[in-house]
Amino acid sequence: MKPMDEVLLVIDVQNDFMPGGALAVPRGDEVVSAINTLASQFAHVVLTQDWHPVGHISFAENHKGCHPFETISLPYGEQVLWPTHCVQDTHGAALHADLHIPHAQALIRKGYHADVDSYSAFLEADRRTPTGLTGYLREKGVRRVHCVGLATDFCVAWSALDAKAAGFDVCVIEHACRAIDLDGSLDKAWASLAAAGVSRE
Ligand code: VGL
Ligand code: ZN
């Protein structure tokens, strides 16, 4: 069993990211059993949940004439526009029913501000608004963060990079992640992770 100073961060294992979901990640369902097995080896598990209001700025349908998977410029930077997904309190936003981690201690919701996205579990896309996860992990004495979930090239990568920037040792456990892979985003993500010193396991 891994000690309490090593956390398993389980990112966005939600219905909308599963095959058939609103923003399906190819083979996203395959992470569920892999994560259940890993989680049984960690005393400390934290979950995240993408959690958007209906009017969220990342939804293509909230921008006249725009389509999903286009990129637009916003005051805080470039934003990919997505199909409407993970709307608060919907079935699509719920965690996958087969995810069984009864001992998970905390759940961080993100992306709940209408005017800013948050791929990262640590910092919103304005790169200034914290979710509170850094403080939680520090106060709990966490030293190492093991990242798994969906999607490798968006929420997993951004979370791992921010965890590393916050001073934690960080790894991404590849077999328990799946990617969206939009225009080479997966290769770019692995390159950024390597450059930042995040290990790939
Ligand atoms: C995600 C795109 C939009 C993710 C969340 O969980 O990787 N991707 N919202
Ligand atoms: Zn989202």
Side-chain angles (χ1 to χ4, degrees), residues 19-175:
L23 176 38
V25 177
R27 299 159 62 213
D29 53 332
E30 293 175 3
V31 304
V32 176
S33 67
I35 291 173
N36 286 339
T37 301
L38 277 167
S40 70
Q41 296 151 19
F42 279 80
H44 197 174
V45 181
V46 172
L47 311 170
T48 74
Q49 200 171 19
D50 210 37
W51 196 251
H52 301 308
V54 279
H56 196 249
I57 197 161
S58 79
F59 297 166
E61 71 173 356
N62 293 326
H63 299 267
K64 207 172 168 5
C66 292
H67 303 283
F69 309 108
E70 270 175 38
T71 298
I72 62 164
S73 263
L74 291 176
Y76 59 78
E78 300 274 284
Q79 172 72 52
V80 178
L81 295 179
W82 302 105
T84 294
H85 66 280
C86 296
V87 171
Q88 295 168 359
D89 258 344
T90 61
H91 173 77
L95 299 176
H96 191 293
D98 296 335
L99 190 71
H100 285 304
I101 317 180
H103 59 293
Q105 288 104 340
L107 173 82
I108 287 281
R109 287 174 168 167
K110 60 184 181 62
Y112 48 76
H113 290 128
D115 56 351
V116 52
D117 204 1
S118 191
Y119 296 147
S120 166
F122 294 87
L123 268 189
E124 297 189 24
D126 61 2
R127 312 313 293 143
R128 307 138 67 108
T129 309
T131 62
L133 183 56
T134 305
Y136 170 88
L137 295 177
R138 283 197 188 132
E139 200 166 1
K140 292 284 192 180
V142 167
R143 194 183 49 76
R144 185 168 171 84
V145 180
H146 303 250
C147 301
V148 295
L150 305 172
T152 322
D153 41 346
F154 289 94
C155 293
V156 175
W158 283 56
S159 297
L161 291 169
D162 283 351
K164 182 73 188 178
F168 301 106
D169 287 340
V170 186
C171 69
V172 172
I173 305 175
E174 190 172 10
H175 82 273

Side-chain angles (χ1 to χ4, degrees), residues 12-29:
D12 299 0
V13 182
Q14 294 168 262
N15 293 323
D16 272 343
F17 297 125
M18 299 297 155
L23 176 38
V25 177
R27 299 159 62 213
D29 53 332

